[in-house]
């Protein structure tokens, strides 16, 4: 039996992962689950999937979970706090770790799983944005496996030859085409974007996602972070990555080869497909996803991204080119700005403004040879600086 720990089990990716695992109970066992504070859903998951360990980051939520499961003396063992995430990511019973915690908070347990030699199913793109060199070094040194879960990167992985680690030019790859839906605001008048509500920004036309990721999709910061992630995953630079707006979200990404060939991975927009691919790789598993009906799809559209509408995408490309701590600052500032938008403290265009102002205010530092503590310190300083920018903008409204 293959033991699986699901970090972020109550989120959309975590729920989809458990659905796939339940279809293959003869092959996989749920060893541990983690969540931030949704103790009600965690209690339901514990009763259904019977993990050995359950982690609630929030202490009060952990107490509530113990009360909800008081009638189950057989377990699970309930742990609390962020340090417990690293504990369950490295359990000897765990072979695969689904890293689905949103934001920089998912970095320490993801890195711990990599250092412990686990198969890391990476749905937490911030781990590579904030600590790409550190994580890739840990993977190489421990012999761990890193398989991408983001539908775009998983699609690219499926379209590349097995030896892509030799370098994309060496295996005949010209460039990676990273698709983006364009989100719910693709056709909004630019001069009315300051009127967008959190509910409208979260109303994604094709994907069901959490609120933070939904806002990132609306600003296309999500795609910018994915550009940085792709550079680390596939050992390339931004010059070989192109973003293509594809509203139908049927082609999940493409790889263009030097001989003129373009390989694409297609499927219905359902996260269970990349999850099942990573769980079963190099074999294929039933994901419970309906087959793609091309006659129903009818047509596929493609557009260039409008950087005037989506300035966050341009900021991400710039941070990737600058390197050093710039991606760390970009990610931290975006998390603060998105939270402020969801709290209605700033408007939607304010997200890009806060990120740009924070990048300008903070010095760019070299990350060569730096450890996790250094990166987390930069992350924290960037959050403080971004919050100051938020307060300044909020005071003007």
């Amino acid at each position: 039996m293959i033991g699986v720990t699901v970090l972020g089990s109550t989120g959309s990716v975590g729920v989809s992962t458990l659905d796939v695992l339940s279809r293959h109970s003869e092959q996989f066992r749920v060893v541990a689950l983690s969540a931030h504070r949704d103790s009600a859903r965690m209690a339901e998951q514990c009763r259904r999937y019977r993990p050995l360990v359950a982690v609630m980051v929030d202490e009060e939520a952990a107490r509530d979970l113990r009360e909800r499961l008081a009638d189950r003396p057989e377990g699970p063992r309930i742990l609390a706090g962020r340090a417990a995430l690293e504990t369950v990511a490295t359990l000897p019973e765990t072979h695969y770790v689904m890293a689905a915690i949103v934001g920089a908070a998912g970095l320490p347990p993801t890195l711990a799983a990599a250092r412990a030699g686990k198969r890391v199913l990476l749905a937490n793109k911030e781990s590579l944005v904030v600590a790409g060199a550190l994580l890739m070094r840990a993977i190489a040194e421990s012999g761990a496996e890193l398989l991408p879960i983001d539908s775009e990167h998983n699609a690219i992985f499926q379209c590349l030859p097995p030896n892509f680690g030799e370098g994309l030019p060496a295996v005949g790859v010209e460039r990676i085409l990273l698709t983006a839906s364009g989100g719910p605001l693709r056709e909004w008048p630019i001069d009315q974007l300051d009127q967008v509500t959190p509910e409208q920004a979260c109303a994604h036309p094709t994907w069901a996602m959490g609120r933070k990721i939904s806002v990132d999709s609306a600003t296309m910061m999500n795609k910018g972070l994915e550009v940085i992630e792709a550079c680390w995953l596939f050992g390339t630079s931004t010059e070989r990555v192109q973003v293509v707006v594809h509203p139908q979200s049927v082609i999940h990404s493409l790889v263009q080869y030097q001989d003129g060939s373009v390989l694409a991975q297609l499927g219905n927009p359902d996260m269970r497909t990349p999850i099942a691919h990573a769980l079963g790789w190099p074999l294929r598993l039933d994901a419970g996803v309906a087959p793609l009906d091309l006659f129903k799809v009818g047509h596929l559209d493609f557009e260039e991204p409008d950087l005037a509408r989506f300035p966050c995408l341009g900021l991400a490309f710039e941070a990737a080119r600058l390197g050093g701590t710039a991606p760390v600052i970009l990610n931290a500032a975006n998390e603060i700005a998105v939270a402020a938008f969801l709290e209605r403290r700033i408007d939607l265009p304010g997200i890009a403004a806060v990120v740009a102002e924070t990048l300008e205010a903070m010095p760019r530092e070299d990350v060569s040879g730096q450890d996790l503590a250094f990166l987390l310190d930069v992350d924290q300083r960037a959050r403080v600086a971004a919050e100051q920018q938020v307060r300044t903008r909020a005071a003007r409204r």
Side-chain angles (χ1 to χ4, degrees):
M1 294 284 281
I2 297 172
V4 182
T5 285
V6 183
L7 301 174
S9 66
T10 60
S12 59
V13 172
V15 169
S16 294
T17 301
L18 291 172
D19 179 82
V20 175
L21 291 172
S22 69
R23 298 170 186 275
H24 302 279
S25 56
E26 76 291 345
Q27 186 175 350
F28 299 100
R29 176 183 181 180
V30 177
V31 173
L33 302 174
S34 86
H36 189 213
R37 61 167 62 95
D38 191 349
S39 55
R41 175 169 278 187
M42 175 61 82
E44 294 172 3
Q45 291 180 342
C46 287
R47 291 182 184 279
R48 179 173 179 182
Y49 300 105
R50 300 183 178 183
L52 300 177
V53 188
V55 175
M56 302 301 299
V57 173
D58 183 84
E59 299 275 354
E60 185 176 342
R63 288 192 291 271
D64 183 66
L65 182 63
R66 292 188 183 99
E67 292 177 5
R68 290 176 182 272
L69 298 177
D71 62 332
R72 295 182 62 85
E74 70 276 18
R77 184 161 58 107
I78 298 172
L79 304 178
R82 294 196 180 279
L85 297 174
E86 298 181 48
T87 299
V88 295
T90 57
L91 290 170
E93 298 89 346
T94 293
H95 305 96
Y96 296 177
V97 175
M98 168 58 75
I101 296 174
V102 175
L107 172 55
T110 302
L111 187 58
R115 287 171 171 164
K118 310 297 185 182
R119 173 179 287 194
V120 179
L121 282 59
L122 189 67
N124 172 263
K125 62 179 63 64
E126 291 84 0
S127 291
L128 283 173
V129 172
V130 174
L134 204 59
L135 181 58
M136 297 307 289
R137 185 165 65 245
I139 294 288
E141 291 175 351
S142 70
E145 296 175 304
L146 183 64
L147 296 178
I149 297 300
D150 272 347
S151 61
E152 297 84 357
H153 301 90
N154 183 265
I156 294 163
F157 182 84
Q158 293 189 50
C159 293
L160 287 172
N163 61 335
F164 72 83
E166 297 174 10
L168 297 189
V171 297
V173 172
E174 185 69 31
R175 60 179 174 172
I176 288 168
L177 303 175
L178 201 65
T179 57
S181 70
L185 309 177
R186 182 174 59 88
E187 296 181 336
W188 270 65
I190 293 179
D191 60 0
Q192 295 180 25
L193 288 175
D194 60 348
Q195 303 301 313
V196 172
T197 67
E199 291 75 22
Q200 290 167 328
C202 290
H204 198 283
T206 53
W207 291 97
M209 305 180 292
R211 281 165 64 80
K212 192 269 180 183
I213 297 177
S214 294
V215 174
D216 281 349
S217 179
T219 66
M220 282 192 72
M221 177 61 88
N222 196 44
K223 203 56 48 181
L225 297 177
E226 289 175 8
V227 168
I228 300 172
E229 182 183 9
C231 290
W232 284 112
L233 283 170
F234 307 117
T236 191
S237 65
T238 57
E239 285 69 30
R240 288 188 182 272
V241 181
Q242 181 179 2
V243 173
V244 179
V245 176
H246 168 52
Q248 290 85 6
S249 298
V250 168
I251 297 179
H252 298 299
S253 275
L254 313 91
V255 174
Q256 179 179 329
Y257 285 83
Q258 293 169 359
D259 63 4
S261 299
V262 178
L263 302 186
Q265 188 267 337
L266 288 74
N268 286 316
D270 191 318
M271 285 303 297
R272 291 178 298 174
T273 294
I275 290 167
H277 175 265
L279 284 170
W281 185 81
L283 304 177
R284 298 278 179 167
L285 299 177
D286 172 29
V289 178
L292 180 65
D293 185 342
L294 288 174
F295 299 111
K296 185 177 180 180
V297 173
H299 63 92
L300 303 173
D301 299 315
F302 306 95
E303 306 167 5
E304 288 189 39
D306 181 354
L307 296 185
R309 179 184 299 278
F310 301 115
C312 284
L313 179 59
L315 289 170
F317 266 99
E318 180 63 19
R321 286 189 285 265
L322 288 172
T325 54
V328 184
I329 298 166
L330 174 93
N331 179 73
N334 180 65
E335 289 190 21
I336 293 296
V338 169
F341 169 71
L342 289 171
E343 295 164 0
R344 292 178 165 80
R345 297 165 60 201
I346 62 173
D347 57 21
L348 188 85
I351 295 175
V354 167
V355 173
E357 290 159 0
T358 306
L359 279 167
E360 185 176 351
M362 291 193 64
R364 181 170 61 92
E365 302 173 66
D366 185 16
V367 297
S368 302
Q370 297 290 357
D371 59 11
L372 180 59
F374 170 80
L375 296 172
L376 293 178
D377 177 65
V378 174
D379 174 85
Q380 187 57 42
R381 285 188 281 124
R383 289 171 189 273
V384 171
E387 181 57 40
Q388 180 58 52
Q389 298 293 345
V390 166
R391 287 197 295 268
T392 299
R393 295 189 70 81
R396 297 182 193 144
R397 297 186 74 187

